[in-house]
Amino acid sequence: MAEAAERPQAQQAFDVGSWPAIRQSAAQLSRNREVFVRQLHYDITSLVPELASTQAPDMWAFCERMAQSLLWVALTDQPLGVVADALRRVGGQNWADGFPDTQYPTIAHALVQTVHYLSGSDWSASTGSVWIGYFMWIKPHLLAGAQQAAAQFAAAQQEAERQAAADRAFAEQEAARVAELSRDSRGHQTNVVSDVNIEQVASLLDEDDEDTGYGHLMVSMTRNQRRDPRRPTP
């Protein structure tokens, strides 16, 4: 019991019997992290070649981020809450970079191949099993981070759309006010009121339209109003 209490919380959350093997293997891999990243990239893109295409996420950055995270979690003595938060941030960044959540099982497969290749004579079937278990323990935290990032993005997008709609409604009201104040008692056009930035109003009105719309018509109208109606048109 005393031994379990002294063990870092992240280790307590994982299979206690497997942790020493993971920690020893991770320590060996951390001695040459660049080779680990390079081999992981090779194994992932060999299993899923489309991930290496130019339209896919930056797999080098992804592999560097994942390799660093896998080694850090295995070797750190930080509390479970700190570890979980860090993994959620990694999952959120993976999502933001366009990595598909459905490919995480492929990452587990590639990770085992990578560790197998780099472990050399130290490899055993049990080593593969503990690495699979280790990644499956990490995966929910990555997915939780991806879901949180997706929800935050959707909320931000919704807020941006709401603000754009509010700006457009204000611009339409302002344009209508300008049009009304620019008429004299007989309904003729006069000089536009000076407290309105008509160019800005036009931009807000027309920014979502494919063709020139009401905003540009307002600009044209008010530009004509700025001429003295008593002066003949040249």
Side-chain angles (χ1 to χ4, degrees):
M1 273 304 216
E3 182 183 355
E6 293 172 0
R7 188 176 293 112
Q9 293 181 23
Q11 298 180 26
Q12 294 181 45
F14 186 57
D15 181 0
V16 172
S18 299
W19 195 266
I22 285 293
R23 194 156 186 145
Q24 180 179 357
S25 181
Q28 179 182 345
L29 294 169
S30 68
R31 295 189 188 112
N32 199 334
R33 189 169 300 184
E34 291 183 4
V35 172
F36 183 31
V37 172
R38 195 159 54 241
Q39 187 63 37
L40 184 61
H41 181 273
Y42 173 82
D43 287 324
I44 291 175
T45 54
S46 295
L47 289 172
V48 190
E50 58 266 30
L51 288 178
S53 68
T54 54
Q55 289 77 27
D58 182 348
M59 290 307 296
W60 279 111
F62 173 85
C63 290
E64 288 174 349
R65 187 161 54 243
M66 288 301 299
Q68 179 179 356
S69 301
L70 290 164
L71 297 178
W72 176 78
V73 171
L75 299 174
T76 188
D77 291 333
Q78 291 292 327
L80 177 58
V82 174
V83 171
D85 287 345
L87 289 173
R88 282 194 292 270
R89 286 194 295 272
V90 171
Q93 188 60 57
N94 290 346
W95 179 88
D97 288 352
F99 182 80
D101 294 346
T102 55
Q103 290 295 347
Y104 276 120
T106 303
I107 303 306
H109 188 183
L111 177 63
V112 171
Q113 289 187 353
T114 297
V115 176
H116 186 182
Y117 180 80
L118 297 179
S119 296
S121 60
D122 294 331
W123 172 262
S124 66
S126 62
T127 305
S129 297
V130 297
W131 271 97
I132 290 175
Y134 176 56
F135 186 82
M136 295 307 293
W137 172 72
I138 284 175
K139 178 183 171 184
H141 297 295
L142 299 174
L143 293 176
Q147 292 168 0
Q148 183 179 7
Q152 290 173 344
F153 177 81
Q157 191 174 41
Q158 186 177 16
E159 174 59 22
E161 292 172 354
R162 186 202 66 77
Q163 186 60 52
D167 290 344
R168 187 173 180 84
F170 170 78
E172 289 173 347
Q173 293 173 359
E174 192 72 354
R177 184 176 76 88
V178 171
E180 182 64 27
L181 294 175
S182 298
R183 296 187 181 93
D184 61 18
S185 59
R186 292 175 296 177
H188 296 152
Q189 295 296 327
T190 63
N191 291 333
V192 67
V193 291
S194 60
D195 65 337
V196 177
N197 186 337
I198 197 65
E199 299 280 357
Q200 182 179 10
V201 170
S203 175
L204 286 169
L205 288 172
D206 287 339
E207 63 182 359
D208 295 329
D209 296 337
E210 293 183 359
D211 55 354
T212 56
Y214 181 56
H216 282 88
L217 291 176
M218 284 294 298
V219 170
S220 175
M221 179 184 73
T222 54
R223 280 174 178 161
N224 291 336
Q225 293 167 12
R226 295 187 183 109
R227 291 197 298 266
D228 188 337
R230 294 171 296 181
R231 295 177 58 186
T233 303

